[in-house]
Amino acid sequence: MASVFSSFRYGYRYLQRQAHEQPVIFYSCVLGLIGPAMVMTIPPIRRKYGYVSPERPPTTYPLPNRARVPVSGYDDE
Amino acid sequence: MINNNLILIILNTLISLIDVLLVLLPVLLSVAFMTIIERKQLAAHQRRVGPNTVGYYGILQPFSDALKLILKETVIPSQSNKILFYLAPVSTLIFSLLGWGIIPFGQGLTLFDFSLGILYTLALSSLGVYGVLFAGWSANSKYAFLGSLRSTAAMISYELILSSAILIVILLAGSFNFTTIIESQEAIWFVVPLLPVFIFYFISILAETSRTPFDLQEAESELVAGFFTEHSSIIFVFFFLAEYSSIVLFSCITAILFFGGYNMPELFVNNTFISLQAVVLGLKTCVFCFMFVWFRATLPRLRYDQLIEFCWLNLLPVAVAFIILVPCILVAFDIAPY
């Protein structure tokens, strides 16, 4: 009689067999899957331990905190 | 006014020509000496003396070889396509020499600081396939044709791995420009975080340049000499120069992509007014040239099915895995350079 764990056991055995039969494909998949797993798990953990993302470097000068004064008195007017 | 403009144009053209010559002459000399270095090093690996008669320690041997080949009779097969037969070696040599145009030998010391330098290099290495294909087909010989088909298949296959490895370096540096890639390695050389990538990159450049253990297209025991079986005399010299120029060029690109290019390790500080950047790049290039010959002296030749299987079933999955892993690490740790 199949127990609750039997499907997990068969899955584990399948992986074990693949790791033995096609090690390059198997470990490439493992390596490739570690990446998205890191993207999902690491940022929340870092935020939890106090990491704050750095500010984006400015790509333009900041706007002055006053009304704009129209310039005058130049030659090219 | 018109005269002044004309003089300016002529002067600019002359200066550009001198610039190109300043790069090309040392490159061609280094290619010539690469041949004697290879023979001497192979001899050392096999406990022989190697060429030691022409000049001191046989140092003039490449010039003697060149003279011999130039003075030989050019034999052209009567049924060959003569235009392509001549065009193939010329195009191969030109494409392998054009790559030197964007190599930075020091800070600002480059013929052209191209913002898309890596794409240019990859495009040129792809165009090199045409020379091989034309040479094999135009000769109208079974041996040359088989050799060229094998070469083409191997070069196209391994170019995929080469591009993948370079793509990972681009992801880390955030630029296609060689100078930016070198500058972004000031803190640490890319070979440290990307050691597995460097390994499959080096395997792929061995295959790209048709060197041992991937030189079965030139297997002298079965195919005479591969795609240039029918080429003799000066047109053979062109193929020879192209092959060794590619070896030196790829060694230089390896030093730039993974070993900090012209930057010295931070352990050594140059406080003098003499710039040693070009010398540093040259020394790093020499290390990889040594490795090319070292592999030739050590490894046996692969079988053709092993060559293709190794590329598509072993290297490609690993390369794809790293293409996914590296950007994911950059995003996860918030360290992407863009």
Side-chain angles (χ1 to χ4, degrees), chain A residues 24-25 28 31-32 34-36 38-39 42-43 46 51 53-54 56, chain B residues 313-315 317-318 321-322 324-325 327-329 331-334 338:
Chain A
V24 178
I25 308 281
S28 296
L31 214 60
I34 286 173
M38 283 171 87
V39 174
I42 287 174
R46 294 181 90 200
Y51 176 76
S53 300
R56 289 271 159 207
Chain B
L313 297 182
N314 295 327
L315 286 181
V318 180
F322 273 97
I324 298 171
L325 182 68
C328 285
I329 290 174
V331 170
F333 288 96
D334 204 7
Y338 24 83

Side-chain angles (χ1 to χ4, degrees), chain B residues 91-92 95-96 123-133 155 159:
Chain B
S91 70
T92 311
F95 288 139
S96 72
L124 280 180
S125 87
S126 306
L127 284 172
V129 177
Y130 284 105
V132 173
L133 205 60
M155 284 168 95
E159 209 163 84

Side-chain angles (χ1 to χ4, degrees), chain B:
Chain B
M1 192 69 182
I2 295 167
N3 271 344
N4 279 349
N5 278 345
L6 196 69
I7 290 167
L8 264 178
I9 290 168
I10 292 170
L11 262 179
N12 279 335
T13 316
L14 266 179
I15 291 170
S16 303
L17 273 176
I18 292 169
D19 279 353
V20 171
L21 277 180
L22 276 176
V23 173
L24 268 192
L25 281 181
V27 163
L28 288 173
L29 268 182
S30 73
V31 168
F33 283 113
M34 184 62 211
T35 57
I36 180 74
I37 288 168
E38 175 167 41
R39 290 173 69 179
K40 277 288 202 187
Q41 194 188 328
L42 276 178
H45 282 297
Q46 298 158 357
R47 301 283 189 274
R48 294 186 285 112
V49 180
N52 66 343
T53 313
V54 191
Y56 290 108
Y57 306 106
I59 211 161
L60 295 178
Q61 186 69 44
F63 301 103
S64 153
D65 288 345
L67 200 66
K68 181 203 78 176
L69 283 167
I70 289 167
L71 293 178
K72 268 186 154 182
E73 184 193 356
T74 310
V75 181
I76 301 167
S78 56
Q79 296 300 312
S80 64
N81 184 329
K82 286 172 188 76
I83 296 171
L84 283 181
F85 193 74
Y86 273 108
L87 197 68
V90 174
S91 70
T92 311
L93 180 62
I94 287 174
F95 288 139
S96 72
L97 287 179
L98 273 177
W100 288 98
I102 51 152
I103 298 291
F105 299 98
Q107 240 159 7
L109 202 63
T110 171
L111 283 179
F112 180 36
D113 197 13
F114 193 14
S115 56
L116 300 174
I118 285 193
L119 292 185
Y120 172 80
T121 309
L122 285 176
L124 280 180
S125 87
S126 306
L127 284 172
V129 177
Y130 284 105
V132 173
L133 205 60
F134 290 156
W137 181 76
S138 64
N140 202 10
S141 150
K142 289 187 189 70
Y143 293 109
F145 190 55
L146 268 178
S148 89
L149 285 184
R150 285 178 168 198
S151 276
T152 311
M155 284 168 95
I156 290 173
S157 303
Y158 279 90
E159 209 163 84
L160 206 61
I161 312 297
L162 182 71
S163 322
S164 309
I166 291 177
L167 183 69
I168 295 167
V169 173
I170 295 167
L171 283 171
L172 223 59
S175 172
F176 289 105
N177 178 249
F178 276 131
T179 312
T180 317
I181 289 172
I182 293 172
E183 298 300 334
S184 57
Q185 293 178 70
E186 271 193 0
I188 190 163
W189 291 352
F190 282 160
V191 70
V192 178
L194 297 180
L195 184 64
V197 177
F198 170 70
I199 293 170
F200 68 74
Y201 166 83
F202 203 79
I203 292 172
S204 68
I205 61 168
L206 280 178
E208 267 302 291
T209 48
S210 303
R211 296 287 296 179
T212 324
F214 306 106
D215 67 334
L216 66 163
Q217 50 267 38
E218 291 159 33
E220 68 278 357
S221 50
E222 38 183 313
L223 281 178
V224 196
F227 57 87
F228 51 80
T229 304
E230 303 292 343
H231 288 76
S232 57
S233 176
I234 188 76
I235 44 177
F236 171 76
V237 174
F238 282 7
F239 272 127
F240 204 66
L241 281 176
E243 186 184 335
Y244 281 87
S245 167
S246 299
I247 291 169
V248 183
L249 178 66
F250 273 114
S251 302
C252 191
I253 291 173
T254 310
I256 288 170
L257 292 182
F258 289 95
F259 288 82
Y262 53 71
N263 275 336
M264 271 209 257
E266 290 211 345
L267 194 64
F268 308 105
V269 180
N270 181 15
N271 278 332
T272 62
F273 62 90
I274 303 164
S275 171
L276 292 175
Q277 290 178 325
V279 179
V280 171
L281 183 66
L283 285 175
K284 287 175 185 173
T285 306
C286 284
V287 172
F288 296 109
C289 289
F290 170 82
M291 282 173 73
F292 267 92
V293 185
W294 187 16
F295 286 136
R296 179 173 171 187
T298 311
L299 298 170
R301 189 176 292 139
L302 290 184
R303 229 174 40 227
Y304 193 69
D305 58 322
Q306 290 172 328
L307 173 91
I308 297 297
E309 199 179 294
F310 182 61
C311 176
W312 290 97
L313 297 182
N314 295 327
L315 286 181
L316 192 64
V318 180
V320 172
F322 273 97
I323 286 179
I324 298 171
L325 182 68
V326 172
C328 285
I329 290 174
L330 293 178
V331 170
F333 288 96
D334 204 7
I335 46 173
Y338 24 83

